[in-house]
Amino acid sequence: YPTEVYGNPSSAHAVGRAARAGLDEAHARVAARLGVEAREVVFTSGGTEANNLALKGAAWAGKGRGHRIVTSGVEHHAVGHTLRYLEKFGFEIVEVPVDRYGRVDPDQLEAALSDRTILVSIMLANNEVGTIQPIEEIARLVRSRRGILFHVDAVQAAPYVPLDLRVLDADLLSIAAHKFEGPKGVGVLFVRHGTHILAQQHGGTQERHRRAGTENVAGAVGLATAFDLSCDEQAETAARLARHRERLARAILAVPGTELTGHPTDRLPGLLSLIARGTDGASVTVSLDLEGIATSVGSACTTGSTEVSHVLTAMGYPEDEARGALRLSLGRTTTDEEVAVVADVVPRVLASMRTGAATVASDPLGQGATVSA
């Protein structure tokens, strides 16, 4: 598509019509996998734009009916920061607390709803700790209150959790191609037919007037193709990654002072998150990178930030513990051999850094003196 079917899909000539055919097919393929209609699929530049379009579009469209938006304290910054932006314009943002596992209590969410609530936004699976939310129960609660739209950020869940909108029953849902090995820079916002949102990008009439601008045809086709492949392999991939994750968890959690973060069972198969007390997650990540192992302390979107994870803070972890966060992500191509290496190296690095930290704490000047408690 970048080199052969390169036409503008809005053009009437043959090259443009070929691009339009590819784009239309991409809409249809994604829609079929989501259990929706092709006209309900909007291609965006990624998950961040999809979330922005959903939240801002629904908020401004519903301003005349109310101003309250209900969410949680563990949402991705693409949701959290967007809602903070809307707050500047008079919208009331209510964050429902989560438990130690990062899960929303549906009863508390229901209590936060009022006759002025216009939108609820809860992610399907957390991008840092992997916790899966009781999204179907939450959807039923929202559905029982007429006039409230329900948005689901499903970006992290897309490779591993079936996204059947006939079951999830959301009005708006976001996904991004790079999470299931598609091209970076393209995503989808599902907009249920009849759901009114205000466009946030203006110019042309593309994407049924919901997202102006010449479409990224190659990206859309790439997303649709990758999504097809990911969905076909989803059950097998999820089962295999869950086995890998448990193997790593057994090895790493044997190190004293380590603790699994996120829900112990209702979690994504390809994500292992933990706290290693007595270590600094950023330093551990650098040490593991030198060993050829790529890890992170949280979301890739917050790399470079000096602040501790807002997710762990919302889950009740104090700052000193949250700084020991470590996240390991597994993918479709992760091998048994790679898992074996990581299961050997990570515990060794963590134990070494904990020992070093303890030595510094007991003898900070290196003179054999001990520090009293």
Side-chain angles (χ1 to χ4, degrees), residues 193-205:
H193 181 61
T195 298
H196 182 44
I197 61 172
L198 293 186
Q200 299 302 299
Q201 187 164 300
H202 305 94
T205 62

Side-chain angles (χ1 to χ4, degrees), residues 159-172:
Y160 311 116
V161 179
L163 300 180
D164 188 341
L165 270 302
R166 292 163 296 192
V167 177
L168 296 178
D169 204 20
D171 299 292
L172 303 152

Side-chain angles (χ1 to χ4, degrees), residues 109-179:
L109 185 142
E110 185 176 26
L113 303 180
S114 73
D115 58 1
R116 300 296 291 168
T117 303
I118 56 174
L119 176 65
V120 172
S121 180
I122 301 292
M123 67 193 335
L124 178 52
N126 188 264
N127 57 298
E128 290 190 27
V129 300
T131 295
I132 297 175
Q133 300 291 352
I135 213 72
E136 292 177 32
E137 184 177 356
I138 293 172
R140 285 194 295 271
L141 289 175
V142 176
R143 279 277 173 260
S144 69
R145 304 290 289 266
R146 185 178 178 182
I148 302 177
L149 296 181
F150 184 39
H151 167 248
V152 174
D153 175 357
V155 170
Q156 194 72 33
Y160 311 116
V161 179
L163 300 180
D164 188 341
L165 270 302
R166 292 163 296 192
V167 177
L168 296 178
D169 204 20
D171 299 292
L172 303 152
L173 181 137
S174 309
I175 63 173
H178 70 277
K179 291 297 181 181

Side-chain angles (χ1 to χ4, degrees), residues 164-251:
D164 188 341
L165 270 302
R166 292 163 296 192
V167 177
L168 296 178
D169 204 20
D171 299 292
L172 303 152
L173 181 137
S174 309
I175 63 173
H178 70 277
K179 291 297 181 181
F180 41 85
E181 298 184 59
K184 297 177 183 65
V186 61
V188 159
L189 176 64
F190 157 74
V191 182
R192 188 174 297 280
H193 181 61
T195 298
H196 182 44
I197 61 172
L198 293 186
Q200 299 302 299
Q201 187 164 300
H202 305 94
T205 62
Q206 292 88 350
E207 297 300 293
R208 297 178 180 268
H209 297 269
R210 294 168 298 193
R211 200 263 187 183
T214 301
E215 300 93 339
N216 175 5
V217 179
V221 173
L223 183 151
T225 302
F227 198 36
D228 271 339
L229 295 170
S230 176
C231 290
D232 285 341
E233 301 175 2
Q234 191 173 83
E236 185 276 331
T237 298
R240 177 165 43 81
L241 294 188
R243 291 194 299 271
H244 285 335
R245 183 198 65 204
E246 292 309 305
R247 179 180 180 182
L248 288 175
R250 287 193 298 272

Side-chain angles (χ1 to χ4, degrees), residues 27-40:
H27 279 100
R29 290 168 70 183
V30 173
R33 292 295 186 175
L34 295 176
V36 303
E37 301 177 32
R39 62 179 175 175
E40 298 174 310

